[in-house]
Amino acid sequence: MQYIEVNDLSFHYEEEPVLENISFKVNAGDFAMLTGENGAAKTTLLRNILGLLKPSKGSVSLANENIHGEKLVVGYIPQQVASFNAGFPSTVLELVQSGRYPRGKWFKKLDNEDREHVEKALQSVGMWNERNKKIGELSGGQKQRISIARVFAMDPDLFVLDEPTTGMDVNSREEFYKLLKHSSEFHNKGILMVTHDHEEIKRYANKHIELIRKENSPWRCFSMDSCKELSKHPSSFH
Amino acid sequence: MFFYGFMQRAFQASILISLIAPILGLFLILRRQSLMADTLSHVSLAGVALGLLLGIDPTLTNIFVVVIVAGLLEYLRKVYRTYSEISIAILMSGGMAVALVLMGLNDSGATLSITQFLFGSIVTISVQQVWMLLSLTILIIVLYGVFRKQMYTLTFDEETAYTAGLPTQVMSILFNVLTGVTIALIMPIVGALLVSAILILPAAISLRLSKSFNGVIFIGMGVAMIGMILGLIGSYYLGTPPGATITLIYIGIFSLTALLKKTM
């Protein structure tokens, strides 16, 4: 089932084109990585997909429903979460619990199942013991980890992640990629992730969308040649 | 002091303001809109001046003008996303300019009334104003209870709130409108020049004292209540303007808590 469809998308900042002729799909169960050099408008593309920016040409469609016929839940981690609203008066637990709200809990109390999800998410990023800390007291890496925990607690159908592993060490990154691969492979989650570590992720992702600079363009404009299917490696994470 | 009807109404109004100020104040601070309260209070003056010129109840024209400008603020915040304080500068000076021009066009004793609105007056609080404040307090507390989770998510990060399916723009406009109506109602009591301090300071003090979201609001209510009541008593005995007296007490509490936090 198709979660994201980008069809001949172009995006211009005023007159200057920054993205042109972008087309790809992300389905349920896909782990797609989006790469490109610095300034390749990767974040701009994600923001177009999420509806935060409007394409100048072409179209983007996000599915309304997930594979079970329920409302599609999107989990988004923006770039540089380390600089997030650090003075916000919230404990780590409160913030990660807020990830459950879009799961039909805007007007309902969180139940045991929600609490289990939250605990599991915090355990998976090694932040359970820090749950009563104020978020402003955390280091940059810890803030990154609770942002990831918040999205995992949400249990979204589609993950849209903008360089989520910035500042993470190699082992933490490996664990994170395994968790994502497990989510896509065994729970049919769709994943679109902007990354610079494409060599590391190659063995987890099954799609590679690369933004490349357009030749003969007077502007610093990016496009893509194709959406490459990568060979699937068996998951080692259960 | 408590036998005077106007003081009873002043205390009733103060308790109600203490309940709503930390809720709105916290969201204003976290949304980096602390100066919005100042802008709306300046615009409020234009609303009051319009009412006095047309011979209509100034509270009604005030609410009308502030609600329109609260919506306009959200539009300008989007247009000048990077420099959102531009919208504040435009509307604050614009509001003040319109108020002064309307006052100039009014030949009756409007200047005296405007002075009351500028500095606040506890003598002028009417029973009708207390009832309006009570209705507003109930509305804000109910809305906070119902939409606390949505507002928490919106305030933490507007973009992730949008991707989580929240109608962020509608919520922002409604929040601005609610803030505008509150300012229009409390301005005659505390004064246009200090209304933002009354809204912002209790939340600013309690932000340093609690690490949870609800904790900040509840402590803020306590701080606001102490500040408002002590300020009113001080204003009564010293004959000083209520808004200024309350603000000075808040600044005293702020300094004291900052000092205590440092020594602890």
Side-chain angles (χ1 to χ4, degrees):
Chain A
M1 185 181 175
Q2 213 166 280
Y3 279 171
I4 300 173
E5 184 178 10
V6 179
N7 198 6
D8 197 24
L9 177 140
S10 295
F11 182 78
H12 300 189
Y13 277 118
E14 296 181 354
E15 289 303 302
E16 187 178 337
V18 288
L19 285 168
E20 273 188 348
N21 315 112
I22 311 284
S23 301
F24 64 88
K25 289 172 187 169
V26 176
N27 300 321
D30 272 349
F31 184 167
M33 61 172 174
L34 174 63
T35 64
E37 63 181 84
N38 282 336
K42 301 183 289 293
T43 299
T44 305
L45 178 54
L46 284 198
R47 290 166 63 81
N48 270 274
I49 291 169
L50 292 166
L52 297 166
L53 292 173
K54 205 168 171 279
S56 310
K57 210 188 103 198
S59 65
V60 173
S61 62
L62 271 183
N64 290 321
E65 294 178 344
N66 65 12
I67 49 170
H68 308 293
E70 299 156 345
K71 190 176 180 302
L72 186 87
V73 175
V74 180
Y76 170 48
I77 301 185
Q79 203 178 13
Q80 293 169 332
V81 286
S83 62
F84 74 2
N85 210 338
F88 199 78
S90 176
T91 61
V92 168
L93 188 64
E94 270 181 320
L95 184 71
V96 177
Q97 272 176 345
S98 73
R100 295 299 293 167
Y101 299 159
R103 276 270 162 216
K105 300 290 169 158
W106 290 120
F107 297 105
K108 285 184 191 162
K109 273 194 162 183
L110 299 183
D111 56 24
N112 284 338
E113 191 195 335
D114 296 312
R115 278 185 274 276
E116 274 170 30
H117 263 101
V118 169
E119 183 175 345
K120 214 169 134 188
L122 276 167
Q123 299 275 20
S124 71
V125 296
M127 289 293 289
W128 177 246
N129 291 337
E130 320 292 327
R131 65 189 178 280
N132 293 320
K133 270 196 175 172
K134 192 174 176 177
I135 57 171
E137 295 168 3
L138 304 177
S139 68
Q142 286 176 318
K143 282 174 190 155
Q144 191 88 17
R145 282 194 268 161
I146 60 164
S147 299
I148 290 169
R150 189 184 187 211
V151 165
F152 274 114
M154 188 188 280
D155 189 23
D157 306 300
L158 174 66
F159 291 80
V160 179
L161 313 169
D162 196 351
E163 296 188 41
T165 56
T166 309
M168 275 162 85
D169 60 42
V170 181
N171 291 338
S172 307
R173 286 205 298 269
E174 283 288 311
E175 285 304 310
F176 177 62
Y177 301 145
K178 283 177 186 174
L179 212 55
L180 287 179
K181 185 172 172 63
H182 176 81
S183 300
S184 65
E185 205 170 289
F186 295 99
H187 301 284
N188 259 319
K189 308 290 185 186
I191 298 164
L192 175 62
M193 178 164 78
V194 170
T195 182
H196 282 293
D197 312 324
H198 63 280
E199 285 304 320
E200 269 180 48
I201 303 173
K202 252 182 192 168
R203 57 200 191 94
Y204 301 104
N206 70 317
K207 274 187 182 171
H208 183 190
I209 301 143
E210 188 177 13
L211 296 180
I212 48 169
R213 189 160 179 176
K214 266 190 118 173
E215 285 174 22
N216 308 322
S217 166
W219 311 96
R220 191 176 158 77
C221 179
F222 288 81
S223 185
M224 54 178 282
D225 51 356
S226 64
C227 177
K228 293 172 206 150
E229 296 285 336
L230 303 172
S231 57
K232 278 199 174 187
H233 292 262
S235 177
S236 56
F237 185 84
H238 294 275
Chain B
M1 167 175 70
F2 296 104
F3 293 109
Y4 293 114
F6 75 88
M7 279 309 281
Q8 288 171 1
R9 289 193 294 278
F11 278 109
Q12 288 161 354
S14 300
I15 290 167
L16 295 173
I17 293 171
S18 310
L19 296 175
I20 50 180
I23 299 177
L24 295 178
L26 179 60
F27 288 121
L28 284 169
I29 293 171
L30 296 177
R31 286 165 58 79
R32 295 183 176 88
Q33 287 183 310
S34 298
L35 283 175
M36 188 181 91
D38 237 353
T39 308
L40 290 177
S41 66
H42 281 69
V43 170
S44 274
L45 277 178
V48 169
L50 182 69
L52 292 173
L53 182 69
L54 299 177
I56 305 170
D57 182 353
T59 309
L60 296 179
T61 47
N62 195 359
I63 291 174
F64 175 73
V65 170
V66 166
V67 164
I68 290 174
V69 172
L72 195 62
L73 261 174
E74 181 59 21
Y75 170 74
L76 287 175
R77 196 170 73 95
K78 294 274 175 218
V79 173
Y80 294 108
R81 188 177 278 277
T82 323
Y83 305 108
S84 57
E85 68 275 12
I86 290 177
S87 60
I88 287 177
I90 294 170
L91 291 174
M92 193 187 280
S93 46
M96 197 64 189
V98 170
L100 292 172
V101 167
L102 291 177
M103 275 164 61
L105 293 174
N106 197 338
D107 296 329
S108 61
T111 315
L112 183 69
S113 301
I114 282 286
T115 310
Q116 277 176 8
F117 282 98
L118 263 178
F119 300 108
S121 166
I122 45 176
V123 188
T124 55
I125 304 171
S126 65
V127 177
Q128 184 205 9
Q129 276 175 319
V130 175
W131 278 110
M132 283 173 88
L133 252 180
L134 177 66
S135 313
L136 184 72
T137 307
I138 293 170
L139 179 71
I140 289 177
I141 290 176
V142 168
L143 286 176
Y144 176 68
V146 175
F147 295 108
R148 192 191 79 87
K149 291 175 180 174
Q150 287 89 335
M151 282 305 288
Y152 175 101
T153 307
L154 176 79
T155 313
F156 182 72
D157 177 21
E158 217 164 306
E159 292 194 344
T160 48
Y162 177 81
T163 57
L166 288 178
T168 52
Q169 195 159 8
V170 173
M171 285 172 71
S172 290
I173 292 172
L174 289 180
F175 173 74
N176 288 1
V177 167
L178 207 55
T179 307
V181 173
T182 307
I183 287 169
L185 287 184
I186 66 176
M187 194 191 72
I189 305 167
V190 297
L193 295 180
L194 292 169
V195 74
S196 67
I198 302 294
L199 282 183
I200 301 297
L201 283 173
I205 293 165
S206 60
L207 255 177
R208 301 171 65 92
L209 301 176
S210 175
K211 57 183 177 182
S212 79
F213 202 78
N214 277 339
V216 171
I217 286 182
F218 290 128
I219 293 175
M221 286 176 177
V223 169
M225 209 137 336
I226 293 169
M228 294 290 289
I229 288 172
L230 288 181
L232 270 188
I233 295 172
S235 166
Y236 176 82
Y237 283 112
L238 300 171
T240 48
T245 320
I246 294 164
T247 303
L248 285 178
I249 288 174
Y250 281 153
I251 290 174
I253 299 174
F254 185 85
S255 311
L256 195 69
T257 50
L259 208 68
L260 285 175
K261 283 276 276 184
K262 220 172 182 181
T263 52
M264 271 158 62

